[in-house]
Amino acid sequence: MRELTKEDVLAAVRGGSVYASGGGGWVDHGLEIGGAALAIGKPKLVSVDELPDDAIVLTCTAIGAPAGTDWQMLGKDYIKAVELIMEQYEGRIVGVMTPQNGMSSSINGWLPAAALGLVVVDATGDIRAHPTGKMGSLGLASSLEYETIQAVVGGKPELGSYIELVVKGTPARTSNILRTASDMAGGFIAAARHPLPAKYIKEHAAIGGISIAIELGKAIIEAEQQGTEHVLQTICGHTGGKLLARGRITKKDVHYAGAFDLGTIDLEEADGRVVKLHVMNEYMAVDGPDGERLSTFPDVIATLSLETGRPVSVGHIEEGAEIGVFVIDRSLIPLSSSVKDPSVYPEVEQAMGIELLKYLGTPSGSGV
C-alpha cells in the first residue's frame, strides 16, 4: 500500500494516454479529477493481494464517446455514483478499480476513494481502453448467474439532461441501459458497477494495470526533456511496442452514433503506402494497404504525434497531422478475462463492419 501523489497523477495521465488507444477520456479531465482527489483526501494504491478474498471491490468508470460535446461529469458525479451502490452494501465495499487505462480513465476511482475512505486497487478490467462496458466486465458480460448493480450520474441540469440511475440485472442487459443513459445525458456519464470480491478480481482482472501506466508515464516525462524522437523511442523501449507506420493523416471519417464514435482514419506514409485505422471510440484494428490486418484489439493501438511524441485521441486527430501508429502486441500485456470472452465481440463487429474475434490468437504485424 502506498499513498498516491501529484507526480502519480501526471504519470498516470501520461502513461494512460498511450494505453487509451485513441479514447479513454481527456488529459485535462484526468488532471482535474486527480488533483481533486489529492485536495480532499489521501487516496492509497493497494495490490489486490493486500485485500481479504471477500473484500468487495467496485469498478468506477465513465461511459460514452470521447467526441461527445454536450456532456457534463463533475467530480461529485463520480462520488455520487459510488455512493448509490455503497448504500446497497452496508459498508462492505472497501476498494475501487478502473475498467481500463486512459487519458483520464486511469484515475477514474481516485476521487471517490479519497472522498469515501476507500482504497484504489491496482488492477484494471482491461489494460487498454475499449468501447463497451462488456469489454471491461471481467468475463461477466454473458453471465446469467451474476446479478450486478450499476449506477450512473451526470448531465447538465440546466438542459434537463442530468440523470441519476441505478439498475440491477445481468451485466449484458444493464450495460446496454447505461449506454442509453449516457447518450441521453449528452454523450458521457460517470458510472460505478460490478461489486465483486477481491478473490474474483485476482483471478480475472489485468493485475497491476495502474502501476503499469504510472511507470510508463514516469519514463515519458523523463524522456520529454530530450525531444520528440527520444520520447517515441522510450515508449517503444519501455513497453516492447513498435511503430507500425509514420505518415500524414489523409482522411478522417468518424461520426457520433448512440454514444459511440464510429468510422475510419487513413494514414499515408512517405512512400504512398496507406494504412487504415478502424475506430469505435478507440482504435480497434489497423489494416495495411492491401487490406491485410496488421493489428487487432486487444493489442494496444495508439496514434502518437510526430511533432510532440504525445498520444493524440480520435477526437483530436485532424487531416494533415503527422502521426505515428504505435502498437503493443497483446502477448506483452496482462489480459483480463474480459478480452478473452467471445461474447463481447459480436456487437462491436456488427457496429464496425469488420472482424475482430478471429484475430484474437494472431500476433500483430511487423513494425516499420
Side-chain angles (χ1 to χ4, degrees), residues 18-21 127-128 283 295-302 326-330 333:
V18 175
Y19 291 106
S21 296
I127 196 72
R128 55 151 288 170
Y283 299 118
S295 182
T296 307
F297 177 92
D299 294 349
V300 174
I301 304 170
F326 170 75
V327 168
I328 307 173
D329 189 86
R330 71 206 66 164
I333 55 178

Side-chain angles (χ1 to χ4, degrees), residues 138-178:
L138 300 166
L140 292 168
S142 61
S143 174
L144 299 180
E145 291 77 33
Y146 174 64
E147 181 185 72
T148 188
I149 178 170
Q150 304 200 50
V152 289
V153 179
K156 295 181 177 180
E158 64 271 24
L159 298 180
S161 63
Y162 179 82
I163 292 173
E164 290 184 13
L165 176 68
V166 180
V167 293
K168 292 181 179 180
T170 65
R173 295 287 182 165
T174 54
S175 293
N176 290 342
I177 291 170
L178 297 196

Side-chain angles (χ1 to χ4, degrees), residues 242-246 267 275 277 286 301-303 323-327:
K242 56 198 172 190
L243 286 171
L244 285 180
R246 295 177 182 238
L267 178 143
V275 298
L277 295 102
V286 185
I301 304 170
T303 43
I323 294 292
V325 178
F326 170 75
V327 168

Side-chain angles (χ1 to χ4, degrees), residues 208-278:
I210 299 302
S211 291
I212 288 171
I214 289 174
E215 291 308 310
L216 174 58
K218 289 178 178 178
I220 291 171
I221 292 167
E222 184 175 348
E224 285 176 337
Q225 303 173 29
Q226 300 179 55
T228 297
E229 195 59 36
H230 188 66
V231 171
L232 295 174
Q233 292 174 4
T234 296
I235 292 173
C236 291
H238 187 90
T239 62
K242 56 198 172 190
L243 286 171
L244 285 180
R246 295 177 182 238
R248 182 173 60 90
I249 301 298
T250 56
K251 183 179 180 182
K252 180 181 180 182
D253 181 15
V254 177
H255 60 279
Y256 176 86
F260 290 110
D261 296 326
L262 287 160
T264 59
I265 295 173
D266 290 353
L267 178 143
E268 182 178 346
E269 296 193 271
D271 61 1
R273 177 177 178 265
V274 176
V275 298
K276 185 180 295 289
L277 295 102
H278 295 273

Side-chain angles (χ1 to χ4, degrees), residues 22-274:
W26 313 263
V27 169
D28 289 346
H29 189 64
L31 295 174
E32 180 181 87
I33 294 299
L38 299 182
I40 67 169
K42 297 181 178 181
K44 294 178 176 60
L45 184 69
V46 304
S47 163
V48 69
D49 290 329
E50 296 178 75
L51 301 177
D53 281 351
D54 60 352
I56 301 298
V57 177
L58 190 62
T59 294
C60 295
T61 187
I63 299 170
T69 58
D70 209 18
W71 55 270
Q72 176 175 277
M73 291 187 300
L74 302 177
K76 66 179 183 178
D77 297 332
Y78 285 95
I79 296 169
K80 181 64 174 180
V82 173
E83 286 179 320
L84 288 173
I85 295 184
M86 289 181 72
E87 290 171 1
Q88 310 284 324
Y89 274 78
E90 300 178 349
R92 290 189 291 142
I93 293 174
V94 302
V96 296
M97 60 177 284
T98 182
Q100 61 181 37
N101 276 306
M103 295 182 172
S104 54
S105 53
S106 294
I107 295 177
N108 277 337
W110 298 18
L111 179 55
L116 302 172
L118 307 174
V119 296
V120 178
V121 180
D122 193 5
T124 55
D126 183 3
I127 196 72
R128 55 151 288 170
H130 47 257
T132 70
K134 297 168 189 175
M135 286 179 158
S137 292
L138 300 166
L140 292 168
S142 61
S143 174
L144 299 180
E145 291 77 33
Y146 174 64
E147 181 185 72
T148 188
I149 178 170
Q150 304 200 50
V152 289
V153 179
K156 295 181 177 180
E158 64 271 24
L159 298 180
S161 63
Y162 179 82
I163 292 173
E164 290 184 13
L165 176 68
V166 180
V167 293
K168 292 181 179 180
T170 65
R173 295 287 182 165
T174 54
S175 293
N176 290 342
I177 291 170
L178 297 196
R179 179 64 59 174
T180 300
S182 171
D183 191 31
M184 294 175 66
F188 240 104
I189 199 164
R193 67 184 190 219
H194 300 342
L196 288 163
K199 183 177 188 297
Y200 189 90
I201 304 300
K202 293 176 188 178
E203 295 170 353
H204 295 276
I207 302 301
I210 299 302
S211 291
I212 288 171
I214 289 174
E215 291 308 310
L216 174 58
K218 289 178 178 178
I220 291 171
I221 292 167
E222 184 175 348
E224 285 176 337
Q225 303 173 29
Q226 300 179 55
T228 297
E229 195 59 36
H230 188 66
V231 171
L232 295 174
Q233 292 174 4
T234 296
I235 292 173
C236 291
H238 187 90
T239 62
K242 56 198 172 190
L243 286 171
L244 285 180
R246 295 177 182 238
R248 182 173 60 90
I249 301 298
T250 56
K251 183 179 180 182
K252 180 181 180 182
D253 181 15
V254 177
H255 60 279
Y256 176 86
F260 290 110
D261 296 326
L262 287 160
T264 59
I265 295 173
D266 290 353
L267 178 143
E268 182 178 346
E269 296 193 271
D271 61 1
R273 177 177 178 265
V274 176

